[in-house]
């Protein structure tokens, strides 16, 4: 491709709303174009890189024996009602109506559609296992679209669904996807980590997120420094601190005047306690399907802990959008809670969810449900009861590893893919059954596997850039080589540049020829911004057949013959 003919507009500055490198650089390099909040289009260079990522995904999926299909992005509401997700998916589901008033949605994911296909096409165990996949636009009306391709409302996803007879079959299908994902992200040049993950609204047990390590990532990962435990912070199990020693007596409950001490820090300071000797109360309200408050929820963790919202909604068995922090004034009228002074003793008419660690800890301090008062020596069972006791806390840095007891660290990453063992959630609710040898019906055992294709593109840029621009890994670069023609009006330079250009094309190298009538400085800056892995500069030594050879990832330049330059370019591409 000749740059003079390419539809390309680079920007000196990105719009101020672009905050992270991938968003800034993809816009500046003219690779993506914003249409509306969270809605992006792909310009020639961006589209080429994206197609290369898709091709890597296709090859690795096909290698596992999975078959590619393409379903419609528009999905009828009836299928979502069957699975129960028309309500459960919440406001992220982009709902539309046709002219007859019938409900549809723009698919955020396709479990219902693939289950529907399989229930009509598969009846016997002989037709299993099978895995189908597609690469397609998905739609999620995200509450906060941001960071460009990272969290958009329209994005491209590869989604795959496996169908097996039994759990063992699912385990094998899952492992095959796990391996394929590892190969895909390695080939895309990402430094990533598979971590145990929550299964969220999709349900089922067993899931991994593939996380590209990055400071700007929205996934927080807890990992152990000693063993290979790694999980998203939402998912990571916690070890409760040891219970208070048996020899410690439960002391009598004591009301203390603690004026103005609304936070854990304030009350702990005021009473000279460690935060771990206090109880933190979190007040929430739960909604029914019409969006009205159906219950109040009080969640309790030790004062030095944080509430884990994912664990709480899982414990309550409700979708995340069916709960929010309470309107404290309204809640107080029903339950006796008092903003800043709420504790587990004295609360009524609400669902009490108590972190498992609190059960064994004696003589803690909590709010007295009375303005400016706390209670000392609160003990579980004696002074309060629970509707649910389970782990609802966040695994913090410095905590003990749930597997080996080693120290926990946190790091951040971008979730580029996730794989789930769904089990029979969809096949049971939607009646996708197969017959065994004895003509008996069983639900098909399913797995589902997603890759954010557009998010992967952004993750690659996050991990591969400098202050001048993008530094594409060869495997996903829009072009492998850029030939910078210094003087497009010098016939000798033109002849050499054209010769290298056509030779590289013949050898299957994706090559750009910068034949624009621009100053060399502009051309070099653009080559750096676009991130083409190899630059071959044809300039004043052209008469001797000598060019300048420079890798985008390195500072040094060398002067070599055109033959050597071509040879090196071909080798670089072949090795990738
Ligand atoms: P997140 O937690 O980031 O919202 P998710 O867990 O809801 O993502 P999945 O349902 O697992 O996402 O979707 C599969 C993949 O699709 C994700 O791993 C991610 O790479 C990508 N993805 C999900 N939501 C978006 C989005 N809004 N924009 C771009 N890519 C997305
Ligand atoms: Mg996910």
């Amino acid at each position: 491709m000749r740059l003079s003919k390419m539809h390309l507009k680079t920007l000196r500055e990105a719009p101020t709303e672009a905050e992270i490198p991938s968003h800034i650089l993809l816009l500046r390099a003219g690779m993506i174009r914003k249409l509306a909040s969270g809605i992006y289009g792909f310009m020639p260079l961006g589209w080429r890189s994206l197609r290369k990522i898709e091709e890597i995904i296709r090859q690795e999926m096909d290698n596992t024996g999975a078959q590619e299909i393409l379903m419609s992005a528009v999905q009828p509401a009836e299928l979502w009602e069957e699975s129960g997700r028309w309500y459960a998916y919440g406001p992220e589901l982009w709902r539309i109506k046709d002219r007859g008033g019938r409900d549809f949605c723009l698919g955020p994911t396709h479990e219902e559609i693939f289950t529907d296909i399989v229930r009509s096409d598969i009846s016997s165990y002989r037709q299993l296992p099978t895995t189908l996949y597609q690469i397609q636009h998905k739609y999620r009306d995200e509450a906060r679209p941001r960071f460009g391709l990272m969290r958009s409302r329209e994005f491209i996803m590869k989604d795959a669904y496996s169908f097996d007879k039994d759990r063992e079959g699912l385990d094998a299908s899952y492992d095959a996807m796990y391996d394929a994902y590892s190969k895909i992200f390695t080939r895309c040049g990402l430094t990533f980590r598979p971590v145990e993950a929550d299964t969220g609204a999709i349900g089922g047990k067993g899931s991994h997120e593939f996380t590209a390590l990055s400071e700007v990532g929205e996934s927080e990962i807890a990992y152990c420094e000693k063993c290979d435990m790694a999980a998203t912070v939402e998912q990571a199990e916690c070890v409760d601190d040891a219970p208070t020693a048996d020899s410690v007596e439960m002391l009598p409950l004591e009301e203390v005047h603690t004026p103005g001490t609304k936070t854990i820090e304030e009350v702990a300071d005021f009473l000279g306690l460690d935060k771990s000797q206090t109880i933190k109360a979190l007040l929430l309200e739960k909604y029914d399907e019409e969006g009205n408050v159906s219950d109040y929820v009080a969640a309790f963790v030790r004062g030095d802990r944080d509430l884990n919202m994912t664990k709480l909604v899982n414990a309550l068995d409700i979708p995340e959008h069916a709960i929010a922090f309470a309107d404290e004034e309204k809640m107080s009228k029903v339950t006796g809670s008092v903003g800043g002074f709420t504790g587990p003793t004295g609360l009524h008419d609400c669902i009490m969810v108590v972190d498992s660690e609190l059960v064994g800890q004696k003589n803690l301090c909590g709010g007295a449900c009375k303005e400016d008062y706390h209670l000392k020596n609160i003990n579980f069972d004696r002074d309060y009861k629970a509707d649910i006791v389970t782990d609802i806390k966040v695994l913090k840095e410095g905590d003990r590893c749930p597997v080996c007891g080693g120290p926990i660290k946190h790091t951040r990453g971008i979730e580029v893919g996730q794989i789930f063992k769904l089990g029979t959630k969809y096949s049971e609710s939607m009646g996708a059954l197969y017959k065994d040898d004895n003509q008996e019906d069983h639900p098909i055992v399913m797995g589902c596997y997603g890759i954010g294709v557009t998010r992967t593109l952004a993750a690659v840029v996050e991990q591969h850039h400098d202050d001048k621009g993008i530094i594409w890994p060869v495997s996903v670069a829009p072009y492998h080589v850029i030939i910078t023609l210094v003087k497009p009006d010098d016939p000798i330079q033109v002849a050499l540049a054209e010769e290298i250009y056509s030779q590289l094309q013949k050898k299957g190298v994706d090559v750009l020829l910068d034949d624009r009538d621009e100053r060399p400085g502009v051309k070099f800056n653009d080559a750096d911004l676009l991130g083409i892995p190899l630059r071959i500069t044809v300039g004043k030594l052209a008469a001797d057949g000598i060019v300048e050879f420079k890798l985008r990832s390195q500072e040094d330049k060398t002067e070599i013959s055109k033959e050597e330059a071509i040879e090196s370019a071909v080798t670089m591409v072949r090795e990738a």
Side-chain angles (χ1 to χ4, degrees), residues 97-102 104:
K97 280 187 195 296
D98 71 5
R99 62 170 79 193
R102 283 176 291 261
F104 291 84

Side-chain angles (χ1 to χ4, degrees), residues 113-219:
I113 311 306
F114 280 66
T115 309
D116 181 50
I117 294 173
V118 162
R119 74 174 162 186
S120 79
D121 293 358
I122 288 186
S123 52
S124 158
Y125 70 95
R126 288 192 200 89
Q127 295 164 287
L128 298 172
T130 185
T131 298
L132 300 171
Y133 77 96
Q134 62 178 352
I135 296 177
Q136 184 205 43
H137 276 104
K138 294 282 189 272
Y139 297 85
R140 295 184 184 181
D141 198 0
E142 296 275 354
R144 288 205 306 147
R146 60 191 191 132
F147 294 166
L149 301 183
M150 215 61 101
R151 184 165 300 284
S152 48
R153 297 196 294 168
E154 179 188 70
F155 57 97
I156 298 175
M157 197 203 284
K158 185 286 299 173
D159 47 328
Y161 305 86
S162 67
F163 303 89
D164 278 278
K165 288 198 298 263
D166 49 28
R167 274 268 153 195
E168 292 71 58
L170 169 60
D171 289 347
S173 299
Y174 186 90
D175 291 348
M177 287 296 147
Y178 187 105
D179 290 345
Y181 275 43
S182 300
K183 288 183 186 143
I184 289 165
F185 296 124
T186 304
R187 287 180 63 187
C188 289
L190 287 175
T191 305
F192 66 95
R193 184 160 196 166
V195 302
E196 286 170 37
D198 179 62
T199 48
I202 289 196
K205 275 205 164 66
S207 174
H208 285 87
E209 270 180 29
F210 285 75
T211 310
L213 300 180
S214 162
E215 274 309 303
V216 305
E218 292 181 287
S219 297

Side-chain angles (χ1 to χ4, degrees), residues 425-486:
K425 178 181 155 101
Y426 293 90
S427 48
E428 270 176 34
S429 61
M430 297 180 65
L433 309 174
Y434 74 91
K435 286 196 191 307
D436 67 14
D437 245 349
N438 305 318
Q439 297 302 303
E440 260 175 56
D441 282 329
H442 302 276
I444 296 174
V445 183
M446 292 173 54
C448 73
Y449 316 91
I451 289 181
V453 182
T454 42
R455 189 184 279 182
T456 297
L457 182 78
V460 171
V461 178
E462 277 315 321
Q463 290 191 354
H464 299 275
H465 70 271
D466 61 15
D467 53 1
K468 295 188 197 125
I470 304 169
I471 309 172
W472 289 109
V474 177
S475 60
V476 297
Y479 288 90
H480 303 129
V481 176
I482 183 164
I483 302 170
T484 303
L485 171 58
V486 175

